[in-house]
Amino acid sequence: MKAHDGMYIDGAWRPAVGADTIEVVNPVDEQVIGRVPAGTAEDVDAAVRAARAALPAWAATLPAERAARLTALRDALVARKDEIAETVTAELGSPLPFSQSVQVGLPILVAGSYAELAATHAFEEKVGNSIVHQEPVGVVGAITPWNYPLHQIVAKVAPALAAGCTVVLKPAEDTPLTAQLFAEAVNSAGVPAGVFNLVTGLGPVAGQALAEHEGIDLVSFTGSTAVGRQIGATAGAAVKKVALELGGKSANVILPSADLAKAVNVGVANVMSNSGQTCSAWTRMLVHRDQYDEAVELAAAAAAKYGDRIGPLVSAKQQARVRSYIDKGVAEGARLVAGGPESPYERGYFVQPTVFADVTPQMTIAQEEIFGPVLSILPYEDEEDALRIANGTVYGLAGAVWAGDDTEAVAFARRLETGQVDINGGRFNPLAPFGGYKQSGVGRELGAHGLAEYLQTKSLQFQER
């Protein structure tokens, strides 16, 4: 695992403008495993200029050619899958089996799906006496988070390239080595110079410069709602398009007719996945009061099994944040039934799998995104009460509903104010649109709906004969 000491701009690795670097730390043993350049506004400007210069030729390529480059990119990721998985594990702390199956396996699948969409999508249609034509929105500034470093990159870059856009990527400073491996894959896939560019750096410097740059036509950002607001305001001032995938506080609603044990166990597993560092995690479990005590007991037992099975949090800062939320939950009167704020190991940014009972909807831990392995269990009186609690946050990213049959669960799910709902344990579909309501974001990722974010529409009217 060797870090590049430059930026990938216009098809080559170039020295950074400044001398400052960012240390990449292994969250398991707290050792520095690499250093990457801390990009400046000048680095961003060079990358944007390269992307703008490459745009006309790339936008004019036939969809079949773009599909071929995306297929080659997918194949390049497959060829590097072991190295990428080991890198994700080293800089994020994700257990290697999870890195292999999810952190790398999912984005490979997504890259392949956009290769197919590029070849099959109808970029033009006849509507009355008009031809409605879809064309690339232009140069995309992609700003990605650290929790699923490769997936979040692919979920933005692949549809942008399929649409005919060019891209400047600013990855999270905690996981830049994965982004560098992705740039190597792009290069080996034969993507033309300037179509994809990578600038590593800090959010307030490189990220802000990218969002503000007049040469960027669309800013696609995944991260916190607070930063999303800033980017939205910056883009809005320039009437620039944005796609924002932000925070979540998703509800796992278990109706009385459901298989309680299965719903609780799957719900706990969902929260503990990736050490709770998942924006769509079902961090609020809603259970009918008559079944509440049994559910709490089941959840506590399930969480205890994850004690040595989950990895650390990404950084000391994130560890401190999550532990502060656990302290706040106790201070506000919630009851700890598993885990707690104490770190289970002397080294590493670990947090215990934690479950709170006796949580009320107004508590901080029931309202704010914690982004750690922390589950809150809330009782409800009837379905209307459950709906009120489930919809009672500023977020609306994901959720789950469990019932005795799918029809009952779907009827409830249709009333949830959220972008994606799993019915009775339905598995994740990488072709279905992913995105949120309310302060969980603007726009959608994945599948045809994700491709649409990177297209703009032109209509050509003809004299009817």
Side-chain angles (χ1 to χ4, degrees), residues 81-103:
K81 61 182 174 48
D82 292 337
E83 183 183 7
I84 297 173
E86 290 167 2
T87 301
V88 171
T89 292
E91 61 183 354
L92 177 62
S94 174
L96 186 57
F98 187 81
S99 292
Q100 292 169 329
S101 62
V102 177
Q103 295 281 9

Side-chain angles (χ1 to χ4, degrees), residues 139-158:
V139 178
V140 174
I143 304 174
T144 57
W146 45 260
N147 59 328
Y148 290 90
L150 182 63
H151 171 64
Q152 300 288 1
I153 290 170
V154 171
K156 297 183 187 302
V157 175

Side-chain angles (χ1 to χ4, degrees), residues 374-431:
V374 181
L375 171 65
S376 297
I377 310 179
L378 297 85
Y380 65 84
E381 302 298 334
D382 54 30
E383 284 197 14
E384 292 304 315
D385 190 37
L387 186 69
R388 177 185 61 82
I389 295 170
N391 289 338
T393 74
V394 297
Y395 299 109
L397 184 56
V401 180
W402 300 80
D405 62 72
D406 288 353
T407 300
E408 181 185 1
V410 167
F412 188 92
R414 291 187 187 280
R415 303 170 69 195
L416 290 174
E417 297 169 353
T418 192
Q420 191 170 73
V421 185
D422 292 350
I423 303 298
N424 284 328
R427 64 185 177 87
F428 183 73
N429 179 2
L431 299 180

Side-chain angles (χ1 to χ4, degrees), residues 7 22 36-40 170-174 176 199-207:
M7 310 297 187
I22 299 169
V36 299
T40 64
K170 204 299 284 184
E173 49 264 37
D174 294 294
V199 176
T200 55
L202 301 175
V205 180

Side-chain angles (χ1 to χ4, degrees), residues 108-161:
I108 286 174
L109 184 64
V110 171
S113 75
Y114 278 113
E116 183 176 347
L117 268 172
T120 60
H121 181 76
F123 289 93
E124 203 166 85
E125 63 176 328
K126 185 80 162 56
V127 179
N129 66 306
S130 301
I131 293 176
V132 178
H133 175 70
Q134 293 180 318
E135 57 190 39
V137 73
V139 178
V140 174
I143 304 174
T144 57
W146 45 260
N147 59 328
Y148 290 90
L150 182 63
H151 171 64
Q152 300 288 1
I153 290 170
V154 171
K156 297 183 187 302
V157 175
L161 299 189

Side-chain angles (χ1 to χ4, degrees), residues 168-220:
V168 178
L169 169 68
K170 204 299 284 184
E173 49 264 37
D174 294 294
T175 54
L177 302 182
T178 299
Q180 290 189 341
L181 288 175
F182 178 80
E184 291 179 3
V186 168
N187 189 69
S188 65
V191 175
V195 171
F196 170 82
N197 306 273
L198 169 67
V199 176
T200 55
L202 301 175
V205 180
Q208 185 70 15
L210 188 59
E212 291 177 346
H213 201 291
E214 63 182 9
I216 294 294
D217 299 297
L218 162 66
V219 181
S220 180

